[in-house]
Amino acid sequence: VQLQASGGGLVQAGGSLRLSCAAPRAITSVFNPADMGWYRQAPGKQREMVAVRYANGNTVYADSVKGRFTISRNNARKTVSLQMNSLEPGDTAVYYCSMQRGRTQDWGQGTQVTVSS
């Protein structure tokens, strides 16, 4: 499944960004049961989970972003978004959206988020 991410950029600490990811070619029967998430990878570090919105409506967040980031999904539009508030320099990374279907995990192309101090 092709995932298209957008919304990254450069922002000062304390600012906000909203990332969006679309799966325009996914059919409803594929998108709706999938778990949609955002991951990030900083230079020299492993990719880590940021937030996941499960198909059953549950969400999970990394401890480092709880209370600052909010993940949402729109099944009708086949999109998943990540609202990021109170950004910190430690949030600087390439952010990837992900679709998990069983053992299959698809990734978007990544979008750069840079937070300056």
Side-chain angles (χ1 to χ4, degrees):
V1 174
Q2 182 182 21
L3 301 173
Q4 300 171 349
S6 62
L10 173 64
V11 65
Q12 289 188 336
S16 298
L17 283 173
R18 184 177 180 86
L19 305 182
S20 295
C21 177
R25 298 181 181 178
I27 59 177
T28 300
S29 62
V30 170
F31 186 89
N32 288 5
D35 299 326
M36 300 299 297
W38 287 94
Y39 294 71
R40 67 187 181 187
Q41 187 166 17
K45 295 187 177 181
Q46 290 187 335
R47 190 173 297 187
E48 63 176 359
M49 185 275 294
V50 176
V52 176
R53 181 67 180 257
Y54 294 97
N56 65 9
N58 292 338
T59 58
V60 62
Y61 295 93
D63 288 343
S64 59
V65 306
K66 284 180 181 177
R68 300 188 298 122
F69 291 11
T70 302
I71 188 171
S72 59
R73 64 188 287 169
N74 186 318
N75 286 348
R77 296 183 177 181
K78 293 177 285 185
T79 60
V80 61
S81 298
L82 185 69
Q83 178 65 41
M84 305 185 294
N85 298 328
S86 302
L87 282 161
E88 305 168 353
D91 296 317
T92 295
V94 177
Y95 284 70
Y96 299 89
C97 64
S98 166
M99 173 185 282
Q100 181 87 42
R101 299 170 288 138
R103 296 182 178 182
T104 300
Q105 189 164 21
D106 297 309
W107 297 95
Q109 80 279 15
T111 184
Q112 177 70 46
V113 172
T114 303
V115 184
S116 63
S117 57

